């Protein structure tokens, strides 16, 4: 009886292990790009002699320069050291910074109001890992207290990679120093109290303020220069990303048609004739029969996972269209505020599934191919305006200003408010810079 019980327990454990591996496989398939999916299926084909993979004959490929540098002053850093750091980063990460952060929310934070704020704030984390929102404005948007939003941001700043969630370069370095138990003494003081001197490499002035001899001082400075000013960089995928659309959303006569582009992806099939021949030979070989059944089961699960992946991508694609219809009607010029949580609510899926679905996937439209995550947009005003809407309005106001007397950022904020768009002057400055528009005093010289 005991032996029989132990055998049943082992069988249950083996089945549970296989199920866990299969569930992990489903999650992986969902977040893979087409290239990663091809590589994964090639690996599975090498493990299963009955699995056949047919590669797509032609693909629509669009090259996209994905390199974006954070607007900050890195003059205090050793550029050679930082280049060495970047060269050591994985060049083909299958995980985005956003999905990496969401996985930590799922792992560490229980269901609570603060967790919901954290998920909302993740939409304001840019590819470099910096928080680009405004605490007070976000608090107003979600009917929370500013201190609650700040608490949520502080939780994000405890996540990996160290430095994520910082609002500027100085805070990014402070977070990394605080998270490092081995950080040298005075490193934090130099950044918090004498950051300007550090960025100017003003060694003489700094040494009068910090009680260190020259050798210890150089050690601290070398440590600070070795910190990472771009915490999100390790989740990049190289200088050039090739976009291969997985879904198509195009206007056909008076309506829009949404299609799954199967022709851009590899197809799998099962070699039934070879399997039948082998099964015939396994009549007197129990081990071979078990092997064959396992390989057939593996294929069936893989096929189901691929079908589920297709269904999920289509569901999210249709929902993106329904929630962001003006993006398609305006040919990419108009986006309303849209975050992961709203898509999750509309689809009935969880936020982490939405993030994995958007990861490395692209949509083909009448006006180009775009990463699916580009259809997301942050709400930046109490009136529910997205950042793209505010930027378009700002650009229009500047285009219509008197050429001999350009508007200041404060004046621009007032004019936007008159149009029903309430944002602060510093937000106007931030968006003006992102639009590559000069300050008023420089515009007057043109």
């Amino acid at each position: 009886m005991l032996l029989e019980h132990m055998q049943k327990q082992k069988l249950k454990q083996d089945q549970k292990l296989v199920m866990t591996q299969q569930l992990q496989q489903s999650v992986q398939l969902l977040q893979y790009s087409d290239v990663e999916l091809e590589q994964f299926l090639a690996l599975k084909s090498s493990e299963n002699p009955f699995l056949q993979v047919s590669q797509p004959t032609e693909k629509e490929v669009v090259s996209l320069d994905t390199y974006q540098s954070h607007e900050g002053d890195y003059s205090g850093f050793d550029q050679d050291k930082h280049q060495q750091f970047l060269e050591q980063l994985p060049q083909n990460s299958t995980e985005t910074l956003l999905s990496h952060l969401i996985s930590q929310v799922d792992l560490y934070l229980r269901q609570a109001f603060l967790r919901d704020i954290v998920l909302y704030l993740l939409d304001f984390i840019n590819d470099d890992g910096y928080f680009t929102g405004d605490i007070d404005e976000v608090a107003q948007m979600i009917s929370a207290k500013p201190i609650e939003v700040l608490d949520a941001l502080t939780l994000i700043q405890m996540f990996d990679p160290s430095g994520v969630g910082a609002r500027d370069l100085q805070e990014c370095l402070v977070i990394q120093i605080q998270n490092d138990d081995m950080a040298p003494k005075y490193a934090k003081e130099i950044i918090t109290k004498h950051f300007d001197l550090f960025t100017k490499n003003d060694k003489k002035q700094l040494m009068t303020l910090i009680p260190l001899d020259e050798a210890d001082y150089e050690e601290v400075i070398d440590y600070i220069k070795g910190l990472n000013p771009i915490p999100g960089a390790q989740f990049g995928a190289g200088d050039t990303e090739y976009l291969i659309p997985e879904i198509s959303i195009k206007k056909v006569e008076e309506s829009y048609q949404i299609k799954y582009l199967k022709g851009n992806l590899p197809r799998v099939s099962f070699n039934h004739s070879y399997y039948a021949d082998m099964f015939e030979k396994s009549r007197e070989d129990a081990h071979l029969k078990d092997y064959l059944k396992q390989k057939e089961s593996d294929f069936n699960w893989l096929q189901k996972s691929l079908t589920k992946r297709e269904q999920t991508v289509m569901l999210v694609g249709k929902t993106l269209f329904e929630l962001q219809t003006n993006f398609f009607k305006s040919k990419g010029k108009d986006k309303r505020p849209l975050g992961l949580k709203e898509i999750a609510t509309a689809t009935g899926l969880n936020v982490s599934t939405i993030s994995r679905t958007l990861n490395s996937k692209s949509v083909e439209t009448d006006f180009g191919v775009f990463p699916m995550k580009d259809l997301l947009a942050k709400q930046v005003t109490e009136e529910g305006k997205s950042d793209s809407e505010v930027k378009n309005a700002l650009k229009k106001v500047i285009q219509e200003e008197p050429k001999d007397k350009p508007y200041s950022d404060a004046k621009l904020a007032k004019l936007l408010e008159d149009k029903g768009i309430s944002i602060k002057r510093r937000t106007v400055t931030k968006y003006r810079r992102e639009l590559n528009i000069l300050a008023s005093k420089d515009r007057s010289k043109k």
Side-chain angles (χ1 to χ4, degrees), residues 230-289:
I230 313 177
Q234 62 186 283
F235 296 91
D239 291 337
T240 303
E241 179 181 348
Y242 292 94
L243 301 183
I244 302 173
E246 194 155 332
I247 62 171
S248 169
I249 303 178
K250 291 185 174 183
K251 191 172 185 179
V252 179
E253 295 181 351
E254 297 303 315
S255 61
Y256 282 86
Q257 189 176 74
I258 304 175
K259 295 192 300 184
Y260 189 74
L261 302 177
K262 289 186 177 182
N264 280 347
L265 299 173
R267 298 179 183 181
V268 298
S269 59
F270 194 77
N271 192 330
H272 291 283
S273 60
Y274 181 36
Y275 180 84
D277 290 342
M278 292 298 295
F279 200 83
E280 183 68 25
K281 297 175 182 178
S282 70
R283 290 181 180 276
E284 298 179 2
D285 190 335
H287 291 295
L288 177 57
K289 184 174 289 187

Side-chain angles (χ1 to χ4, degrees), residues 344-411:
T345 301
T347 58
L349 304 172
N350 60 47
V351 172
S352 59
T353 299
I354 299 300
S355 174
R356 292 187 180 102
T357 304
L358 297 179
N359 179 55
S360 302
K361 314 236 181 6
S362 303
V363 54
E364 180 185 57
T365 72
D366 294 307
F367 46 93
V369 177
F370 301 89
M372 289 178 71
K373 64 182 180 181
D374 278 9
L375 273 72
L376 301 176
K378 295 175 291 189
Q379 177 177 314
V380 295
T381 72
E382 295 177 51
E383 300 83 11
K385 299 289 185 181
S386 70
D387 53 353
S388 63
E389 289 175 311
V390 174
K391 285 181 181 179
N392 287 336
L394 173 61
K395 190 175 182 179
K396 186 176 180 181
V397 171
I398 293 176
Q399 286 173 342
E400 296 174 351
E401 71 184 358
K403 301 303 178 185
D404 58 334
K405 195 176 181 181
Y407 299 137
S408 66
D409 289 347
K411 176 66 173 177

Side-chain angles (χ1 to χ4, degrees), residues 69-307:
S69 60
H70 179 72
E71 289 183 2
D73 180 8
Y74 303 151
S75 58
F77 288 88
D78 185 321
Q79 296 301 319
D80 291 336
K81 283 188 177 181
H82 184 58
Q83 183 61 34
Q84 290 173 10
F85 171 83
L86 292 176
E87 289 173 355
Q88 292 171 3
L89 297 176
Q91 294 300 306
N92 293 301
S93 173
T94 61
E95 187 178 34
T96 65
L97 175 60
L98 180 59
S99 62
H100 182 65
L101 294 175
I102 288 175
S103 68
Q104 293 175 79
V105 174
D106 291 341
L107 184 62
Y108 300 123
L109 302 184
R110 61 183 178 83
Q111 291 290 343
F113 180 56
L114 200 60
R115 182 181 188 273
D116 291 337
I117 299 177
V118 168
L119 287 170
Y120 187 83
L121 293 184
L122 294 186
D123 282 345
F124 293 85
I125 304 293
N126 67 16
D127 290 341
D128 292 335
Y130 284 80
F131 176 71
T132 60
D134 179 274
I135 296 295
D136 293 331
E137 290 177 359
V138 170
Q140 291 178 346
M141 292 174 200
I142 60 176
S143 300
K145 298 175 182 177
I147 188 63
E148 292 173 326
V149 177
L150 186 59
D151 286 345
L153 182 61
T154 302
L155 286 175
I156 293 174
Q157 292 174 349
M158 296 170 67
F159 286 172
D160 176 75
S162 187
V164 72
R167 286 161 285 187
D168 53 42
L169 178 59
Q170 183 178 17
E171 186 175 37
C172 179
L173 301 180
V174 170
I175 292 170
Q176 293 178 63
I177 294 169
Q178 289 176 333
N179 290 343
D180 184 3
D181 294 334
M182 303 299 290
K185 190 177 179 181
Y186 296 114
K188 183 179 177 181
E189 182 177 337
I190 289 174
I191 297 302
T192 55
K193 296 182 179 180
H194 312 296
F195 185 64
D196 287 343
L197 295 176
F198 167 74
T199 58
K200 294 175 183 176
N201 287 318
D202 194 338
K203 177 179 177 180
K204 184 177 180 180
Q205 183 66 17
L206 273 173
M207 287 196 67
T208 64
L209 299 168
I210 305 297
L212 291 171
D213 59 34
E214 186 166 355
D216 290 337
Y217 169 83
E218 293 294 345
E219 182 180 338
V220 175
I221 296 300
D222 283 345
Y223 168 82
I224 296 173
K225 289 182 177 181
L227 298 175
N228 181 14
I230 313 177
Q234 62 186 283
F235 296 91
D239 291 337
T240 303
E241 179 181 348
Y242 292 94
L243 301 183
I244 302 173
E246 194 155 332
I247 62 171
S248 169
I249 303 178
K250 291 185 174 183
K251 191 172 185 179
V252 179
E253 295 181 351
E254 297 303 315
S255 61
Y256 282 86
Q257 189 176 74
I258 304 175
K259 295 192 300 184
Y260 189 74
L261 302 177
K262 289 186 177 182
N264 280 347
L265 299 173
R267 298 179 183 181
V268 298
S269 59
F270 194 77
N271 192 330
H272 291 283
S273 60
Y274 181 36
Y275 180 84
D277 290 342
M278 292 298 295
F279 200 83
E280 183 68 25
K281 297 175 182 178
S282 70
R283 290 181 180 276
E284 298 179 2
D285 190 335
H287 291 295
L288 177 57
K289 184 174 289 187
D290 289 342
Y291 171 82
L292 294 173
K293 288 181 178 179
Q294 182 61 55
K295 293 306 175 183
E296 184 180 31
S297 175
D298 289 347
F299 171 79
N300 290 335
W301 183 269
L302 176 62
Q303 195 171 43
K304 287 179 182 178
S305 296
L306 289 170
T307 301

